Amino acid sequence: CCVTVSSVSLPAATSSDEEDDSDSSTKPIRSEKKKNPASLFQTGGDPPREKKTKKKAPPKAAESEDETLETPQKNSNKKGKGKKSKKPKEERAPSPVIEVDNLEEFVLRPAAQGVTVKCRVTRDKKGMDRGLYPTYYLHLDNDKKVFLLAGRKRKKSKTSNYLISIDPTDLSRGGENFIGKLRSNLMGTKFTVFDNGTNPDRANADWSNVRQELSAVVYETNVLGFKGPRKMTVIIPGMNSDNERVPIRPRNDNDGLLMRWQNKNMDNVIELHNKAPVWNDETQSYVLNFHGRVTHASVKNFQIVHSSDPDYIVMQFGRVADDAFTMDYNYPLCAVQAFAIALSSFDGKLACE
């Protein structure tokens, strides 16, 4: 069963048809005074000993939660495929003005505190094998539709392996635009996100060139077995006192984010979860409030939160059309982390459909 939507919260699609579109209304979540989220993600950690590029000014514009809240409306849509909600496009508030001066630096930089970076993911299935290997594009969801990232699953890979690039036309592993990758386990239920550093086998003397693990995602079933909404755990590196990501550079497979999490070794590591949708008796479906940013029911819709402050949405993702999704992220995530987490939700091997 999938999860739903918006200030008009949509119910989840059925397990047999993940794209079933249906909806209902729910009360809006009251916005509270903003807590400072920085403390949730600070783990100490050693400040990175890496070469620092010149710091650009952080994105301007902040956005208060009140601006994204919308008045709930009763939506008369009945369940069923053909009847999608017809809502004016301008209802989804666009992103605040965000300057992307250096793309490579921007996509790896954590979102500025107090700013929600609002993006749009589009899926392109055109071409000979795009049905099996679609390309996914990430743009800022604003008037200019600034391109940020592209991702595509690699062919001939034993496990799901997505390349992430800062050039929409160059999705090659060896290209200079390669910025990161998402790799799954054989079951397709656990994913790890890497930056574009080198494999530990080719490390230099001080390990400074070794790839960092930026995130890990674990999908599991819940008490309803495969018929309930997906349950996600997201593991990310913590932040140091300068609000910079603590570098996690595993020297082998036993030292990565997933193993640290499984072994409950949570030094410099933060555990996040998807917000549990609430069962709505009236509509017989699971609902979540996406504040108008999501308009279609889908098993892929989710919100990621820290258990200590479930009102602070670290990231949310959801369907707005057959091949279009909104993806919004906040501090401490960067665009590469959020995009890779979103890509993991598309993976066909997920046993939790």
Side-chain angles (χ1 to χ4, degrees):
C1 207
C2 45
V3 182
T4 51
V5 212
S6 91
S7 54
V8 181
S9 284
L10 289 192
T14 58
S15 56
S16 59
D17 180 4
E18 63 153 346
E19 312 302 354
D20 180 31
D21 297 323
S22 47
D23 61 346
S24 72
S25 62
T26 187
K27 290 176 185 172
I29 297 167
R30 285 191 189 139
S31 63
E32 298 171 5
K33 282 184 184 172
K34 285 231 171 184
K35 300 168 187 169
N36 177 13
S39 56
L40 297 174
F41 307 104
Q42 200 164 322
T43 58
D46 299 321
R49 289 177 299 156
E50 303 167 40
K51 288 179 188 169
K52 288 196 179 175
T53 49
K54 270 192 180 174
K55 272 206 170 173
K56 299 278 194 295
K60 296 158 189 162
E63 178 179 43
S64 77
E65 200 170 299
D66 300 338
E67 288 171 10
T68 61
L69 281 175
E70 294 167 27
T71 333
Q73 310 163 359
K74 278 281 179 190
N75 193 316
S76 57
N77 269 6
K78 300 283 184 281
K79 289 191 180 183
K81 221 167 163 72
K83 303 196 176 179
K84 293 172 185 172
S85 53
K86 291 177 184 172
K87 291 163 86 177
K89 277 188 180 173
E90 55 272 21
E91 196 170 309
R92 287 188 299 104
S95 185
V97 178
I98 287 170
E99 299 297 326
V100 182
D101 30 29
N102 175 332
L103 183 55
E104 184 171 0
E105 188 185 311
F106 176 83
V107 296
L108 288 166
R109 183 172 64 211
Q113 292 180 39
V115 176
T116 298
V117 184
K118 296 185 174 181
C119 305
R120 189 175 178 90
V121 175
T122 47
R123 174 171 57 186
D124 178 9
K125 294 178 178 172
K126 298 187 185 89
M128 282 284 288
D129 55 5
R130 290 287 173 84
L132 289 171
Y133 300 97
T135 304
Y136 300 91
Y137 300 103
L138 182 71
H139 291 81
L140 285 180
D141 193 7
N142 56 16
D143 294 338
K144 292 181 182 172
K145 292 202 164 37
V146 178
F147 168 81
L148 296 178
L149 294 165
R152 192 175 185 204
K153 191 187 283 194
R154 293 181 74 184
K155 300 172 192 176
K156 299 175 184 166
S157 194
K158 287 177 187 168
T159 61
S160 294
N161 202 327
Y162 293 80
L163 283 183
I164 299 172
S165 169
I166 50 173
D167 183 336
T169 62
D170 175 17
L171 282 150
S172 61
R173 175 69 179 85
E176 56 186 35
N177 298 302
F178 167 68
I179 193 87
K181 73 173 183 178
L182 169 75
R183 190 178 70 193
S184 83
N185 64 350
L186 280 168
M187 288 286 291
T189 53
K190 293 177 182 174
F191 295 80
T192 305
V193 184
F194 301 94
D195 71 359
N196 57 358
T198 60
N199 189 300
D201 299 342
R202 296 188 289 279
N204 58 16
D206 65 354
W207 288 81
S208 60
N209 67 335
V210 171
R211 65 191 180 199
Q212 290 186 47
E213 287 195 9
L214 299 178
S215 179
V217 190
V218 179
Y219 289 88
E220 56 194 290
T221 53
N222 62 9
V223 289
L224 296 170
F226 293 117
K227 292 183 179 171
R230 291 177 178 176
K231 203 171 173 191
M232 296 167 70
T233 301
V234 174
I235 305 119
I236 57 171
M239 307 297 278
N240 66 21
S241 51
D242 295 329
N243 295 323
E244 294 171 319
R245 196 182 305 114
V246 177
I248 304 274
R249 288 200 171 87
R251 302 194 173 201
N252 55 58
D253 288 341
N254 295 321
D255 187 32
L257 288 170
L258 283 170
M259 288 304 289
R260 292 185 189 201
W261 173 74
Q262 280 169 223
N263 296 331
K264 297 187 169 47
N265 169 18
M266 300 301 281
D267 291 346
N268 294 328
V269 175
I270 302 288
E271 179 180 320
L272 306 170
H273 295 276
N274 64 315
K275 196 168 189 172
V278 181
W279 179 255
N280 182 320
D281 277 333
E282 195 183 323
T283 60
Q284 293 292 295
S285 60
Y286 288 93
V287 294
L288 270 177
N289 191 336
F290 287 86
H291 304 303
R293 290 287 292 160
V294 177
T295 54
H296 286 46
S298 170
V299 71
K300 297 179 179 68
N301 298 347
F302 63 82
Q303 291 177 326
I304 300 295
V305 295
H306 191 293
S307 56
S308 300
D309 184 2
D311 291 328
Y312 180 75
I313 308 292
V314 179
M315 172 188 175
Q316 70 176 25
F317 179 77
R319 180 184 293 280
V320 292
D322 285 350
D323 288 307
F325 304 79
T326 50
M327 184 197 91
D328 303 343
Y329 68 94
N330 283 295
Y331 179 87
L333 290 190
C334 68
V336 171
Q337 286 170 308
F339 185 49
I341 293 165
L343 286 177
S344 73
S345 78
F346 286 108
D347 198 61
K349 272 194 175 179
L350 274 183
C352 332
E353 291 284 357

